[in-house]
């Protein structure tokens, strides 16, 4: 078949599926807004394109998001027309619709079967919106209207889509019936063979910081250090953790930008990032000697990220009720003892007392207590880590659990 992937930052969630379809003998292409040169990636033909305009200054804030998606959708539509003129006709299109690129592809290729990666359906209640009162909106009623309009992108896609794919049961459940009934739940998959415990692991960071097995290494990992992923709660737990564990080192991985939610108010916070805001908040409560044991590592290369997880004594993962991070499942796969927020969809992976420990998202004191208890109990850490790895291999292994089901989904999509 001719199979076309559409993702603004390809490969994204399709990094395993697209090459696997190439290996099956299909002709696979990918349209992306990523600024790269046309070429081949693992047998996939890369077709970059770009938007020709920006958003309108002063546009109504409730429709600003949809205008952005319409602009991106038009850009992809024009690029698709050019491909059609060259004779390109996909049998199947697999798209991540979250940025709007695939909105108008059925207008170009009406006979192609369209499958969507269904990451999230926005809700005014019961998910991320309004979850954290500390960052409450000044206009919650208006936000409910804005979120309804934000879901126009999802709804318009499902008007023309043939099937959906979602990584977790909870993320699929955010979509309303009857859309939910057309979604198959299969996770993107974790390479549990590569992400395995390694007793002899060591790591040197920044040229001088040597980490070895046996140390009290606490890890906290996110793409960006921001409230959506509980960075503020973790930082507020640090003074007690450092006080109780004088030999612990805290390794914090993540950038200073924003992936989800709002950026800090530049006036109120003086232009500081979320990382700096909450570091500054807790710094007066932590001595200089203890603060020297807190390491902000930025965004680590993957070849350093994996050994860091393998060295972790306790891994902390916090999130609003939102999209589940790959990093949690990667930590489970390497056998980390995990303390995580008692939020959906975390409960799909972490069963309290079996594959990790759960704590109320906002309970910084409870988080500190759980971390310190595990650091005091090597046998319990080993037990939780072993069971987390077993669970990850059974439910999320790429080669045995996820990729075969993804390939079957594409086959069913093709009819």
């Amino acid at each position: 078949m001719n199979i076309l992937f559409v993702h603004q930052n390809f490969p994204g969630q399709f990094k395993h599926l697209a090459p696997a379809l190439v290996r099956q003998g299909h002709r696979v292409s990918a349209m992306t807004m990523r600024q790269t040169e046309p070429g081949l990636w693992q047998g996939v033909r890369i077709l970059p394109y770009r938007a020709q305009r920006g958003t309108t200054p002063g546009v109504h804030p409730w429709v600003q998001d949809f205008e952005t998606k319409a602009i991106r959708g038009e850009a992809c539509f024009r690029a698709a027309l050019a491909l059609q003129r060259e004779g390109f006709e996909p049998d199947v299109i697999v798209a991540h619709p979250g940025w709007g690129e695939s909105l108008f592809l059925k207008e170009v290729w009406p006979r192609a079967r369209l499958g969507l990666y269904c990451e999230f359906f926005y809700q005014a209640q019961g998910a991320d919106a309004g979850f954290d009162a500390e960052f409450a909106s000044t206009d919650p009623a208006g936000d409910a209207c804005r979120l309804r309009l934000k879901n126009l992108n999802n709804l318009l896609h499902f008007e023309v889509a043939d099937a959906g794919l979602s990584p977790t049961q909870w993320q699929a459940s955010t979509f309303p019936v009857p859309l939910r009934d057309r979604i198959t739940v299969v996770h993107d998959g974790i390479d549990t063979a590569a992400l395995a415990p390694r007793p002899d692991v060591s790591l040197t960071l920044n040229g001088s910081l040597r980490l070895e097995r046996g140390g009290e290494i606490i890890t906290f990992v996110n793409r960006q250090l921001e409230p959506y992923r509980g960075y503020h709660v973790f930082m507020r737990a640090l003074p007690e953790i450092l006080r109780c564990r004088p030999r612990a080192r805290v390794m914090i991985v993540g950038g200073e930008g924003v992936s989800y939610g709002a950026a800090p108010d530049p006036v109120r916070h003086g232009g500081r990032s979320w990382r700096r805001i909450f570091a500054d908040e807790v710094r007066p409560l932590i001595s200089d000697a203890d603060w020297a044991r807190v390491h902000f590592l930025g965004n680590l290369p993957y070849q350093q990220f994996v050994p860091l997880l393998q060295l972790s004594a306790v891994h902390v993962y916090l999130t609003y009720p939102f999209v589940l991070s790959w990093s949690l499942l990667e930590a489970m796969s390497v056998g980390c003892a995990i303390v995580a927020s008692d939020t959906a969809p975390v409960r799909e992976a972490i069963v309290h007392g079996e594959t990790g420990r759960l704590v109320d998202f906002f309970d910084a004191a409870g988080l500190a207590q759980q971390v310190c208890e595990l650091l005091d109990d090597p046998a319990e850490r080993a037990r939780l880590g072993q069971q987390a790895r077993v669970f990850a291999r059974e439910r999320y292994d790429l080669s045995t659990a996820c990729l075969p089901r993804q390939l079957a989904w594409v086959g069913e999509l093709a009819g």
Side-chain angles (χ1 to χ4, degrees), residues 102-307:
S102 45
L103 268 170
F104 310 115
L105 292 185
K106 278 281 199 171
E107 273 66 41
V108 183
W109 296 300
R111 290 190 298 274
R113 302 280 290 178
L114 175 61
L116 303 177
Y117 186 90
C118 302
E119 192 162 31
F120 196 64
F121 195 93
Y122 298 94
Q123 300 180 12
Q125 296 179 339
D128 57 324
F131 174 74
D132 193 341
E134 183 173 350
F135 306 99
S137 169
T138 57
D139 183 21
D143 279 350
C145 302
R146 179 181 58 81
L147 289 174
R148 281 194 64 199
L149 289 174
K150 194 168 185 176
N151 277 322
L152 274 176
N153 179 55
N154 278 317
L155 296 170
L156 288 173
H157 269 97
F158 264 96
E159 279 189 352
V160 294
D162 297 288
L165 186 72
S166 191
T168 70
Q169 294 287 348
W170 183 78
Q171 286 168 253
S173 77
T174 64
F175 287 78
V177 177
L179 308 186
R180 188 186 316 161
D181 298 336
R182 293 157 63 190
I183 297 173
T184 300
V185 177
V186 184
H187 193 267
D188 314 324
I190 301 297
D191 186 350
T192 65
L195 289 155
R198 186 178 157 196
D200 63 341
V201 67
S202 63
L203 179 64
T204 300
L205 295 170
N206 302 326
S208 59
L209 179 59
R210 177 77 173 176
L211 303 175
E212 296 181 339
R213 290 278 292 187
E216 290 192 358
I217 298 171
I218 301 165
T219 51
F220 181 84
V221 172
N222 280 300
R223 184 184 307 159
Q224 306 292 346
L225 301 175
E226 56 186 326
Y228 254 67
R229 297 307 196 190
Y231 168 68
H232 55 317
V233 178
F234 179 71
M235 292 302 291
R236 289 164 182 168
L238 276 191
E240 180 64 11
I241 292 172
L242 293 167
R243 185 188 67 80
C244 292
R245 310 304 302 187
R247 292 183 295 176
R249 285 193 178 274
V250 180
M251 317 303 290
I252 302 174
V253 175
E256 296 204 36
V258 174
S259 292
Y260 312 109
D265 183 280
V267 176
R268 178 184 172 193
H269 296 294
R272 294 176 298 165
S273 65
W274 289 124
R275 183 190 83 80
R276 176 55 59 190
I277 289 164
F278 295 109
D280 290 348
E281 177 186 312
V282 302
R283 182 64 181 86
L285 306 174
I286 301 172
S287 69
D288 291 346
D290 285 348
W291 189 249
R293 297 186 283 123
V294 179
H295 304 275
F296 289 91
L297 304 176
N299 288 311
L300 282 182
Y302 202 68
Q303 62 267 28
Q304 292 182 330
F305 167 70
V306 174

Side-chain angles (χ1 to χ4, degrees), residues 1 3 5 17 21 24 26 92 94 113 165 404-415:
M1 293 185 293
I3 301 175
F5 284 88
L17 177 58
L21 289 164
Q24 284 192 337
H26 302 292
V92 169
V94 180
R113 302 280 290 178
L165 186 72
R405 293 179 62 204
Q406 291 175 5
L407 291 168
W409 176 80
V410 174
E412 292 169 4
L413 173 64

Side-chain angles (χ1 to χ4, degrees), residues 214 216 245 313 337 372-386:
E216 290 192 358
R245 310 304 302 187
C372 292
E373 283 182 5
L374 283 179
L375 289 174
D376 255 338
D377 195 341
E380 178 68 357
R381 295 203 310 269
R383 183 186 73 85
L384 291 175
Q386 289 166 4

